[in-house]
Amino acid sequence: MNKIFNICLLGLAMITLTACGDVADEITSLLLDRNLSPINLTAKNVGETTADIQWTASENATSYNLEVFADDSLTFAGTPIKTFTGIEGTKVSIDGLLFDTKYSVRVQAITQGNESRTSKWNGAFFRTGTKQFLKNPKPADIADRSVTLKWETEEGFDVTTIVIGSITHQITEEEKAAGQATIEGLTPETTYTAYLYYNGKQCGNRTFTTIADLAGAILVHEDDDFKAMLEDEGLADGTVFALYGGTYELNPNDNGQTGAVKISKTITIKGIYPTDQPLIKGRFELYDGAGFSISQCVIDGRDNATTDQIFNFKSEDVAYGALEVENCIITGKSECKGILYLNVPSTVEAININNSIVYGIECTGGDFIDSRKGLPKQVNLIRSTFYTVATERDFIRIDDASDSFGGQDGPKVKVDNCTLYKVGAGGANYRLLYVRFVGNKLTFTNNIVVGTTYKRGFTNQSKSDPEPTLQNNYYFNCENLTSAGASADATIVWFDTEGTIGDPGFKDPDNGDFTLNADAAANRGKAGDPRWFAK
């Protein structure tokens, strides 16, 4: 029995040794009798019609063959469009390619005089760049619901299609001859990217933003009497004014100073072109509960006939609609007492400043947002930048007028994703959030604050929200907003104990550029006005 078992083991060992020997013979044959395929095959410097193909040399190879296949991803089916033989180096520059096209290339190693050593093919693929036939649309080519696109013409290339979002436009023969087409069906104030195609291949793309909705709007030109239009007694609630680029002076006097215009109906003012925002020089006085919306404009309150606020609520005992400021730039310097004044016993539905930049309103004789006798139900400062404002005054002041509004909830104040630079930089005995209307709620989140040196911090008022929402805020050179380095002013009621201290690394803050570098943006937790995030 043992003898039989030993014989079986010996047989298995012989079989095993024989099998290993066969494999070794195969590997030796492959290495010695045939070139290895070139490795590290790559396409570099790929352009619209050219590409550089290179690889690592194969040992014992004297030259290389290379083939190029169009509209292919490593299948190498059909006939190559280009063939190169006898290449002595390890690089080939290819031209005459078609833009926006997938190509496969493959290369093999050759030994002169010995075809048996020719290697197997090794392949790679790439895509040529998009050709840019499409021209940038000019402001006059962009409407609220349409755009006129123009392109360069080139012999041999008849563009066929334009795609914008879900819209596919087949280009007509007339449009081809004219080199332009108008695309309808767009949405106002929306950013689009238009793609131009030649037989399914992209040959241009441009991004643009449609203008403000002009449906039913009154179009206003620079030479119109805009003040008279706004104060027209026959003006209906809901009127929309769409302004072309230019300068609009409100109520100029003999000295060339501008003043205020009286708004008594709920209206909307929109700049038409985002790249040519109208400049409005003057201020707005609001009467009779009017709501007011302004977007895509520049408002300059300097050179005023009187030093007053940009927005001033005048009528008593009324309920005002919302004040909406969207995508605006506002300035005023020492000629403006503040940006807003509510010194009458009236309510305002909301004060919303969004996606805007406000600077240089130093606040002489008043606070930046200043409510003495009224009730602004909501104050929302969102995704905006405020710099060099309220130099020695409160940033937000809402006095306790609750006795005049019995039973109504207190104001809700929210400052979110804002950049504040040198707000209250004078170091006076004022506050960032001087809110003492009974029942107020305070939210201060995702902000970057630099150079704010109010002696009394956020607030020194016991009526201010005792449990404010403070989250993801960053501070630098702000003595009294965090407990670190706070002054001895015992009246400060609370600090942002979770706030992070550190230099945000603004690019050029004194000239209004608060761009964060890529590292700072990451380290700041996406706080501050998003327009300054590194791209």
Side-chain angles (χ1 to χ4, degrees):
M1 181 67 178
N2 288 338
K3 182 176 181 180
I4 294 172
F5 177 73
N6 290 334
I7 292 172
C8 290
L9 286 177
L10 179 61
L12 287 172
M14 291 178 65
I15 292 172
T16 302
L17 289 172
T18 301
C20 290
D22 290 344
V23 171
D25 287 345
E26 288 180 5
I27 294 173
T28 301
S29 176
L30 176 63
L31 292 174
L32 295 178
D33 294 342
R34 191 176 195 176
N35 292 327
L36 291 175
S37 299
I39 61 172
N40 299 325
L41 180 63
T42 57
K44 294 188 176 182
N45 304 318
V46 179
E48 296 173 1
T49 59
T50 60
D52 294 333
I53 310 301
Q54 61 187 53
W55 58 90
T56 300
S58 296
E59 189 175 358
N60 299 320
T62 59
S63 65
Y64 302 88
N65 293 336
L66 185 141
E67 294 179 343
V68 184
F69 294 76
D71 295 310
D72 185 86
S73 294
L74 299 179
T75 63
F76 303 106
T79 304
I81 63 162
K82 290 181 180 290
T83 300
F84 300 84
T85 60
I87 303 168
E88 294 184 354
T90 58
K91 178 180 178 180
V92 171
S93 294
I94 306 173
D95 58 16
L97 303 175
L98 186 62
F99 57 86
D100 194 30
T101 301
K102 294 185 295 183
Y103 287 95
S104 293
V105 293
R106 61 182 184 179
V107 64
Q108 62 180 181
I110 306 296
T111 298
Q112 186 176 4
N114 189 350
E115 293 184 3
S116 66
R117 290 191 57 82
T118 299
S119 75
K120 294 183 178 180
W121 295 99
N122 188 21
F125 69 93
F126 63 94
R127 191 183 193 104
T128 47
T130 302
K131 202 169 183 65
Q132 188 57 281
F133 285 146
L134 200 58
K135 298 178 182 179
N136 256 327
K138 296 179 180 180
D141 298 326
I142 305 170
D144 54 348
R145 290 173 171 80
S146 66
V147 63
T148 297
L149 297 172
K150 303 173 182 178
W151 55 85
E152 303 284 354
T153 58
E154 184 173 310
E155 187 176 353
F157 294 106
D158 283 338
V159 293
T160 53
T161 311
I162 294 172
V163 176
I164 304 177
S166 61
I167 300 172
T168 299
H169 176 82
Q170 300 299 329
I171 300 172
T172 67
E173 292 300 322
E174 291 78 10
E175 291 169 337
K176 290 179 185 178
Q180 66 179 56
T182 298
I183 315 302
E184 307 281 353
L186 306 181
T187 301
E189 298 182 78
T190 303
T191 299
Y192 292 97
T193 299
Y195 297 93
L196 183 67
Y197 289 93
Y198 160 76
N199 289 339
K201 299 183 183 301
Q202 189 187 143
C203 54
N205 65 84
R206 296 293 185 184
T207 298
F208 64 94
T209 301
T210 49
I211 64 176
D213 189 350
L214 300 182
I218 298 175
L219 302 183
V220 186
H221 297 81
E222 186 176 20
D223 56 356
D224 290 331
D225 188 345
F226 189 37
K227 177 178 182 293
M229 299 170 74
L230 291 172
E231 294 184 343
D232 184 352
E233 292 183 359
L235 198 66
D237 277 331
T239 298
V240 177
F241 294 95
L243 277 60
Y244 287 94
T247 299
Y248 300 81
E249 295 199 25
L250 302 179
N251 198 26
N253 62 17
D254 293 339
N255 296 322
Q257 296 173 309
T258 56
V261 64
K262 296 180 179 179
I263 305 296
S264 300
K265 299 293 178 64
T266 296
I267 65 167
T268 295
I269 298 174
K270 293 183 176 183
I272 291 176
Y273 298 120
T275 56
D276 188 15
Q277 293 186 348
L279 169 60
I280 300 175
K281 299 183 72 173
R283 301 175 291 103
F284 301 90
E285 292 180 351
L286 304 174
Y287 293 84
D288 303 332
F292 184 68
S293 174
I294 186 165
S295 63
Q296 211 158 262
C297 293
V298 179
I299 305 172
D300 191 340
R302 293 175 292 186
D303 299 324
N304 283 333
T306 59
T307 56
D308 213 333
Q309 289 80 4
I310 300 291
F311 305 103
N312 195 332
F313 295 86
K314 291 289 192 175
S315 295
E316 297 185 5
D317 301 317
V318 298
Y320 282 98
L323 169 65
E324 304 276 358
V325 179
E326 174 75 28
N327 191 24
C328 287
I329 298 173
I330 303 177
T331 189
K333 289 197 173 179
S334 60
E335 289 87 350
C336 287
K337 291 181 179 179
I339 192 173
L340 180 145
Y341 197 43
L342 177 58
N343 195 34
V344 289
S346 296
T347 62
V348 179
E349 190 63 29
I351 297 166
N352 298 322
I353 300 177
N354 183 53
N355 191 32
S356 295
I357 296 175
V358 185
Y359 71 97
I361 298 179
E362 297 173 2
C363 299
T364 56
D367 300 286
F368 185 68
I369 293 177
D370 193 344
S371 174
R372 304 292 178 98
K373 298 179 181 179
L375 169 57
K377 295 181 179 180
Q378 295 184 50
V379 177
N380 298 306
L381 311 183
I382 310 295
R383 299 165 67 89
S384 295
T385 297
F386 303 88
Y387 69 96
T388 322
V389 301
T391 306
E392 294 189 9
R393 298 296 298 237
D394 297 307
F395 182 57
I396 298 177
R397 172 177 179 165
I398 305 178
D399 285 347
D400 184 10
S402 55
D403 289 344
S404 299
F405 304 93
Q408 296 204 47
D409 292 338
K412 295 179 174 61
V413 177
K414 182 176 183 179
V415 182
D416 182 66
N417 266 122
C418 289
T419 295
L420 278 62
Y421 179 73
K422 291 187 177 180
V423 174
N429 290 322
Y430 289 91
R431 297 129 298 221
L432 193 69
L433 303 178
Y434 180 48
V435 181
R436 53 184 184 146
F437 193 110
V438 173
N440 64 86
K441 297 296 181 183
L442 304 180
T443 299
F444 194 81
T445 51
N446 305 308
N447 302 302
I448 294 179
V449 189
V450 175
T452 293
T453 56
Y454 286 124
K455 295 298 185 185
R456 293 170 177 173
F458 278 102
T459 182
N460 67 333
Q461 295 297 310
S462 60
K463 292 181 181 180
S464 295
D465 183 357
E467 296 182 352
T469 301
L470 305 170
Q471 186 176 6
N472 194 39
N473 297 307
Y474 293 79
Y475 305 90
F476 186 62
N477 289 339
C478 300
E479 298 174 1
N480 303 311
L481 301 181
T482 65
S483 55
S487 72
D489 190 335
T491 65
I492 296 175
V493 296
W494 41 256
F495 302 96
D496 186 351
T497 58
E498 303 297 323
T500 302
I501 299 173
D503 188 346
F506 293 145
K507 186 175 182 179
D508 189 8
D510 289 326
N511 289 304
D513 188 346
F514 304 97
T515 301
L516 300 167
N517 61 46
D519 291 337
N523 293 336
R524 294 298 175 274
K526 296 301 182 183
D529 186 340
R531 81 183 70 233
W532 307 117
F533 292 169
K535 300 296 189 292

